[in-house]
Amino acid sequence: MTSAAIVRPASIADSFACFGLFRRSLWDLMRRIGYLPIDQPDPDVDVQWPAYDRLFAHLGATCAQWWIAEDPQGRPVGYARSTERDGLAELTELFVAPDTRVAGVGRALLERAFAPGLGTHRSIIATVDAAAVALYLRFGVAHQTTGVGVTGGPRPIAPPAGYETAPATVDEVLEIENVVLSHARRQEAEFMLADRPAVVLRRSGRPVAYAFLPNADGHAGPVAARDPADMPAALATLERAAHEGELQRLDLTVPLGAHTAVEWLLGERGFRIDPFYCLFLANGPWAQLDRYLPFNPCLIL
């Protein structure tokens, strides 16, 4: 790292500055990979902030590590944050200002926020920025599957047959997550249930799947099932709620290893791939990503 940058612990007061780094860095990547036009201006972070402030407040209040890098004038040039839940350490964010990309700031932040030894299991949902991925792979994670954006206009769909549906409880969410993710993330479950409605699907009284439905900003997920065969029912419940909520568009991040979900969404329901890719990195195949769609915005599993 250059001597010009100073890395310090971050605080809640840094949330909006970090959000600006997140959006500008992501916009720069999307221009570089052709997802956005090269002349697309940076986003208006003041407009976008209300859809993210609850998530940033949650991560800021419950993170394991959170560090910010500043230039000599005190301007933020990068930040990194991680969580640790039930032994699962997850790098939720690492974003560096585009003009600071080669200054070594990213590594210095990662060494603090995602140090070796943090967590029994480790995970990152990474963008396809080549330099960042090369760095992540030196911190105890490897590629598990690739995720892709899937989008479509929600259409009417009958309730799934053979299931009882009811509002999800924290304990039911954790029961399913223990099976699917090998961890029970109580802090995440409580936050998600406060942020967006969720239903649990039961068969013969036993919870077999859950689906977090769109919130006021249109963000949905996660969706999980004990068995991949139950994913279509959970996704149908989600699409039905999106249609009844009069959403014009439903966006999901789908691991390509989740074959049942991919076939249902692209084949049965006519959704299409919106080609922004991400990589699911972890220190082993402990998460069953063939029966799981992550939380959106896609900063955490």
Side-chain angles (χ1 to χ4, degrees):
M1 191 183 75
T2 65
S3 59
I6 298 170
V7 179
R8 63 166 175 83
S11 70
I12 291 295
D14 297 305
S15 288
F16 186 72
C18 289
F19 177 71
L21 284 166
F22 157 51
R23 299 310 292 175
R24 288 191 295 273
S25 176
L26 187 60
W27 238 245
D28 175 71
L29 172 65
M30 291 193 291
R31 287 190 294 252
R32 287 188 284 116
I33 65 176
Y35 187 83
L36 291 177
I38 195 67
D39 58 352
Q40 179 81 22
D42 282 346
D44 187 332
V45 294
D46 290 308
V47 171
Q48 295 185 340
W49 174 243
Y52 287 82
D53 63 347
R54 296 185 303 277
L55 174 59
F56 269 60
H58 165 68
L59 293 175
T62 65
C63 62
Q65 295 288 332
W66 183 14
W67 296 82
I68 188 167
E70 297 173 329
D71 68 13
Q73 288 72 46
R75 294 174 298 205
V77 295
Y79 83 101
R81 180 159 50 192
S82 62
T83 61
E84 188 171 9
R85 319 285 195 224
D86 190 32
L88 169 60
E90 185 167 15
L91 183 72
T92 60
E93 302 128 278
L94 171 62
F95 292 101
V96 176
D99 57 358
T100 316
R101 188 175 312 282
V102 296
V105 173
R107 183 178 183 87
L109 289 165
L110 197 59
E111 286 172 344
R112 291 164 170 81
F114 201 59
L118 181 66
T120 304
H121 288 155
R122 294 161 65 83
S123 71
I124 305 171
I125 300 180
T127 65
V128 292
D129 183 285
V133 173
L135 184 57
Y136 295 150
L137 295 177
R138 297 159 70 182
F139 279 77
V141 294
H143 179 256
Q144 305 300 316
T145 189
T146 298
V148 66
V150 171
T151 187
R155 294 177 290 142
I157 184 169
Y163 298 87
E164 305 166 4
T165 61
T169 67
V170 169
D171 287 342
E172 288 171 323
V173 169
L174 297 182
E175 180 181 340
I176 294 170
E177 288 208 339
N178 251 326
V179 174
V180 176
L181 297 180
S182 300
H183 298 275
R185 307 174 300 164
R186 179 169 292 275
Q187 288 165 300
E188 250 67 81
E190 291 173 348
F191 163 72
M192 291 187 295
L193 286 170
D195 183 72
R196 59 198 62 178
V199 296
V200 64
L201 286 75
R202 301 189 188 98
R203 196 168 47 240
S204 301
R206 177 175 181 251
V208 297
Y210 69 66
F212 280 81
L213 313 178
N215 65 8
D217 299 304
H219 293 140
V223 181
R226 291 176 181 269
D227 188 299
D230 293 312
M231 285 296 285
L235 291 167
T237 303
L238 172 54
E239 183 180 356
R240 180 180 173 85
H243 174 74
E244 291 177 346
E246 300 183 343
L247 285 187
Q248 298 302 304
R249 171 172 165 157
L250 177 61
D251 297 311
L252 300 167
T253 300
V254 183
L256 293 179
H259 302 297
T260 305
V262 170
E263 291 171 2
W264 170 261
L265 290 166
L266 300 184
E268 184 72 21
R269 301 306 299 163
F271 279 58
R272 62 178 176 83
I273 290 178
D274 185 20
F276 186 80
Y277 297 92
C278 63
L279 305 177
F280 289 81
L281 310 177
N283 63 336
W286 41 263
Q288 299 186 72
L289 298 175
D290 62 337
R291 61 202 70 186
Y292 186 77
L293 274 62
F295 178 89
N296 266 315
C298 205
L299 298 180
I300 55 176
L301 280 174

